[in-house]
Amino acid sequence: MPILPGRSGEAKGAAAPPEPEAPWLIALASGAAEREAQVLVEGLRLQGVAATWHDLGHGVICLPAAQRVQAEAAVAESGLAARLIRVETPYRLARRDALPQGSRVALGGVEFGGQRFVVVGGPCAVESRQQIQTCARLCGEVGIPVLRGGAFKPRTSPYAFQGMGLRGLEILAEAGRDYGLPVVSEVVDPAHIERMYPLVDAYQVGARNMHNFELLKALGDVDRPVVLKRGPAATLDEWLLAAEYVLIGGNSQVILCERGIRTFNANTRYTLDLATAVQAKGLTHLPVILDPTHATGRPELVAPLALAGLAAGLDGLIFEFHPQPELAKSDGPQALRPEALPGLMAQLAAVAAATGRRLGAEA
Ligand code: PEP
Ligand code: MN
């Protein structure tokens, strides 16, 4: 077999390149003032340590202090309470040990990441004022505290319904106001972020856009929560690094959402990867929720998998329902019927009680 020039020499006896040194996080105790943290960072920079600080919403984190000795000395001199963490994972700011108590992310007044298991429900797409008003009313009746609805739909086929666009967001926001529900809707283009800002309480990044790094960077500049769906072929590290793009931009309000991955199994639309969702919860400080609707494409599987996610300690659920699924313009076959909602909520409430948790909005 011919050997390409250069390859053989490399293989013979060449020393492996040194592993790049893992960076360090300095996790300041929550309550540290931003000014004190800035003084610490400046001190490190004067010593040639390329430190930066990131406010995760609770406490301040500095990185990367590759030179541990200087970092320790600077922390000791500052008198700040801090922990030094060696970062051996590709993601840094999302690590659970950066914020062991876990992040709380609020959509309107509804908090994710606490004791409450939060349910988000609504149609796949906003289709009309009447449809979304009915959905909001149903949410209110059964105690679903957050309303979802897509206005910019990333569809597999360009011939399929693409969503109502900005007009859809306006009627979604109106329904949210009318029924006192925060709303979440998908953003597909960085250019839409500003126009969506007054109309949504959280931006959803869809599975197909998890690798859209320009979108993630743009969301890092916004002070509004991001529900980050896992790409159908993304590994755990890839998903968490996508979250890292938002965090490093300065937006600490990220909620991870497992929505099924592509496998050989053709019986469900995707395969719900509950194990990875639970791992994500343990490895990061971010709230993790589940989307059993897109994971399965089957309404009868939504409740059992939602219950499993709750029992497994996840932070919430996002699912689709429609006043008349047979008339839905997108994802009708996987939508729950209104009659199914009270039973779902009752089952969730029972499992929440059995696991020492509660459903709902309050902290
Ligand atoms: C949706 O929530 O309507 C959606 C399109 O989800 P996903 O990005 O997970 O496919
Ligand atoms: Mn959908």
Side-chain angles (χ1 to χ4, degrees):
M1 186 179 74
I3 295 177
L4 292 173
R7 303 271 312 259
S8 55
E10 253 172 49
K12 269 186 225 139
E19 282 288 314
E21 205 183 329
W24 293 85
L25 292 183
I26 302 171
L28 299 178
S30 62
E34 183 180 322
R35 200 175 46 80
E36 291 173 310
Q38 288 288 18
V39 170
L40 176 62
V41 169
E42 279 313 310
L44 285 165
R45 284 187 185 155
L46 286 173
Q47 295 178 54
V49 178
T52 54
W53 77 269
H54 301 268
D55 187 349
L56 291 185
H58 315 253
V60 182
I61 312 294
C62 302
L63 86 160
Q67 296 97 323
R68 179 183 183 142
V69 177
Q70 281 109 313
E72 268 176 346
V75 170
E77 200 180 311
S78 74
L80 292 170
R83 289 173 293 119
L84 253 73
I85 302 164
R86 186 154 202 263
V87 178
E88 277 147 344
T89 49
Y91 47 93
R92 302 176 184 182
L93 299 176
R95 287 170 62 100
R96 159 76 53 180
D97 53 9
L99 200 64
Q101 70 271 36
S103 290
R104 305 284 175 100
V105 179
L107 266 72
V110 181
E111 191 178 77
F112 292 72
Q115 273 304 95
R116 301 268 177 167
F117 183 82
V118 181
V119 180
V120 182
C124 181
V126 179
E127 297 168 2
S128 70
R129 189 166 179 277
Q130 195 197 352
Q131 172 238 22
I132 203 73
Q133 286 278 329
T134 304
C135 290
R137 178 176 54 74
L138 288 165
C139 284
E141 282 172 13
V142 301
I144 294 172
V146 184
L147 177 64
R148 63 149 286 151
F152 295 96
K153 296 302 304 174
R155 304 303 299 282
T156 303
S157 164
Y159 303 111
F161 176 60
Q162 302 288 308
M164 289 182 73
L166 222 50
R167 175 72 194 127
L169 289 179
E170 284 166 2
I171 58 181
L172 178 69
E174 181 194 26
R177 274 196 308 278
D178 289 351
Y179 289 89
L181 305 166
V183 300
V184 55
S185 196
E186 179 164 353
V187 59
V188 295
D189 185 340
H192 295 162
I193 291 175
E194 206 171 322
R195 278 178 290 161
M196 289 177 71
Y197 188 84
L199 300 171
V200 297
D201 296 283
Y203 295 94
Q204 179 175 313
V205 173
R208 291 154 194 81
N209 270 314
M210 192 211 82
H211 287 295
N212 184 339
F213 301 119
E214 294 309 314
L215 182 61
L216 298 173
K217 283 182 203 168
L219 289 165
D221 282 338
V222 186
D223 62 348
R224 191 139 296 173
V226 173
V227 176
L228 178 61
K229 295 243 186 147
R230 179 185 178 191
T235 64
L236 174 62
D237 279 358
E238 286 166 348
W239 187 22
L240 302 185
L241 282 168
E244 197 81 9
Y245 267 96
V246 181
L247 297 176
I248 203 166
N251 184 353
S252 60
Q253 302 174 79
V254 177
I255 298 170
L256 297 170
C257 177
E258 158 61 27
R259 48 78 70 208
I261 54 170
R262 184 84 84 191
T263 69
F264 56 82
N265 177 24
N267 291 320
T268 50
R269 187 174 174 187
Y270 293 89
T271 297
L272 182 81
D273 187 2
L274 187 56
T276 296
V278 173
Q279 277 189 310
K281 177 81 188 143
L283 292 171
T284 78
H285 53 79
L286 304 173
V288 181
I289 66 172
L290 209 64
D291 175 349
T293 300
H294 291 91
T296 64
R298 290 177 176 268
E300 71 277 14
L301 296 178
V302 167
L305 298 184
L307 297 173
L310 166 56
L314 300 185
D315 297 292
L317 162 73
I318 183 166
F319 79 102
E320 292 182 352
F321 70 87
H322 194 284
Q324 289 172 284
E326 57 286 354
L327 300 183
K329 292 188 177 166
S330 71
D331 280 351
Q334 68 188 21
L336 256 65
R337 298 187 165 278
E339 311 83 85
L341 301 181
L344 170 66
M345 296 305 286
Q347 283 182 290
L348 287 169
V351 173
T355 53
R357 301 179 69 193
R358 293 169 74 184
L359 301 185
E362 305 101 78

